[in-house]
Amino acid sequence: MDHRVVFDFAIEFTNGGGIQGQDFRLDIAGETITDAELADYIIKDLRLLMVGKVDILNKFYIQEKHKRQPVNLPSPELLVDLSHTIFDGLITYKGLPAPVICDFLSREDSIGKYEEGTSFQIGKIEMVSNTGTYIDCPFHRYAHGKDLSEVELEAFANLDAITINATDALEIGIEFFQNLEIRNKAVIVNTGWSKNWNTEAYFENHPFLTREAAEYLRDCGVKLVGIDSHNIDDTRGNSRPVHTILLGAEILIVEHLCNLEKLPVSGYLFSAVPPKFKGVGTFPVRPFATLSKA
């Protein structure tokens, strides 16, 4: 038998008034549905506006043949987190200090400063801007380039994206990007290297883009290039041509991504928004992909 949910509801409107419903029955795709999901469904199905508080009451489930197409809720994987967790002592790049994450005001020390039964924590973070998964703006390479506060928000968020499979490559050349629609897109390079994150193996012999690939991406007019490797450049020497070429063309760079194997080839949006700092060209971000609901 199929599953149905039976419930009452009470909805208040922000501009006054409200509506109630009793003994509603709704076909559902699974065995259960949360109150929040039910509330969202009712609001959408009834095309309600100005909705405030929603109460779902007396909810229970029955097994009964579906009367119409059951509710299929959006997948929780709609947003894919592409960032590593930053923690106290994390080494992102050898030679750079690890972040120090501690209390500025601990919960214990806050007791007595507020009303009885209330406590707070205020954290303190000391770190270099190249920590965790981070984004590079032109100021990172060029003294007169745009810093985090000067790059427009549209350059960080909701970029049409494409995923490049480079999991078997060390040097990622032009051939990985040819015959593809990449103009005005975020180009996300999946090397599979993130599996080595927070290990000694992560720092040595990592995949990187070649100078020629960077020039090709620049000439094609891409918006952003991301990679799940230790660096987008070859770090075995002192030259950083990919940073120089891309940032010189105001093409943003995101390094130390992860979970790229969860991305489709195309048809998704990429976002990596940093704080709006003046005088800083690099900062940690929490990039994510927005996948199509289809």
Side-chain angles (χ1 to χ4, degrees), residues 144-156:
H144 299 291
K146 291 181 179 178
D147 64 19
L148 295 171
S149 71
E150 295 168 326
V151 176
E152 61 276 10
L153 188 59
E154 291 78 8
F156 297 119

Side-chain angles (χ1 to χ4, degrees), residues 99-267:
V100 177
I101 304 174
C102 58
D103 292 335
F104 175 78
L105 176 66
S106 70
R107 297 189 187 280
E108 293 75 15
D109 290 341
S110 74
I111 295 174
K113 297 180 181 294
Y114 305 97
E115 63 181 346
E116 185 177 352
T118 302
S119 64
F120 291 92
Q121 187 266 1
I122 299 176
K124 179 180 179 181
I125 302 172
E126 180 181 321
M127 68 178 188
V128 296
S129 58
N130 290 51
T131 297
T133 304
Y134 55 78
I135 195 163
D136 291 341
C137 298
F139 186 76
H140 176 55
R141 172 64 179 81
Y142 297 97
H144 299 291
K146 291 181 179 178
D147 64 19
L148 295 171
S149 71
E150 295 168 326
V151 176
E152 61 276 10
L153 188 59
E154 291 78 8
F156 297 119
N158 294 333
L159 302 175
D160 192 14
I162 182 171
T163 308
I164 305 299
N165 183 2
T167 53
D168 296 322
L170 174 64
E171 298 186 12
I172 303 166
I174 292 176
E175 65 275 11
F176 284 88
F177 308 101
Q178 291 175 321
N179 302 313
L180 296 173
E181 185 61 54
I182 59 175
R183 181 170 295 276
N184 292 324
K185 293 183 184 292
V187 178
I188 309 302
V189 183
N190 176 20
T191 71
W193 199 251
S194 63
K195 67 179 182 291
N196 298 312
W197 175 254
N198 199 32
T199 71
E200 285 296 317
Y202 188 74
F203 305 109
E204 307 297 336
N205 300 315
H206 61 83
F208 60 89
L209 268 61
T210 64
R211 174 191 292 271
E212 293 74 23
E215 291 172 341
Y216 184 80
L217 292 169
R218 176 199 62 195
D219 295 343
C220 288
V222 306
K223 294 291 188 181
L224 176 150
V225 183
I227 193 168
D228 60 347
S229 183
H230 175 53
N231 201 295
I232 202 168
D233 266 300
D234 185 358
T235 59
R236 292 174 294 185
N238 294 325
S239 179
R240 299 291 187 270
V242 179
H243 280 83
T244 297
I245 293 165
L246 296 182
L247 295 179
E250 296 193 352
I251 298 170
L252 305 181
I253 298 170
V254 182
E255 294 169 312
H256 310 288
L257 290 165
C258 64
N259 297 327
L260 300 189
E261 71 281 357
K262 297 180 180 180
L263 300 181
V265 173
S266 60

Side-chain angles (χ1 to χ4, degrees), residues 5-9 21-24 35 55-61:
V5 60
V6 183
F7 62 99
D8 304 335
F9 68 83
Q22 289 79 41
D23 200 31
F24 261 57
D35 288 359
D55 289 321
I56 303 297
L57 308 166
N58 305 318
K59 183 176 71 174
F60 63 94
Y61 302 96

Side-chain angles (χ1 to χ4, degrees), residues 85-107:
T85 299
I86 298 173
F87 55 86
D88 182 70
L90 170 69
I91 298 296
T92 301
Y93 197 99
K94 281 189 175 181
L96 296 179
V100 177
I101 304 174
C102 58
D103 292 335
F104 175 78
L105 176 66
S106 70
R107 297 189 187 280

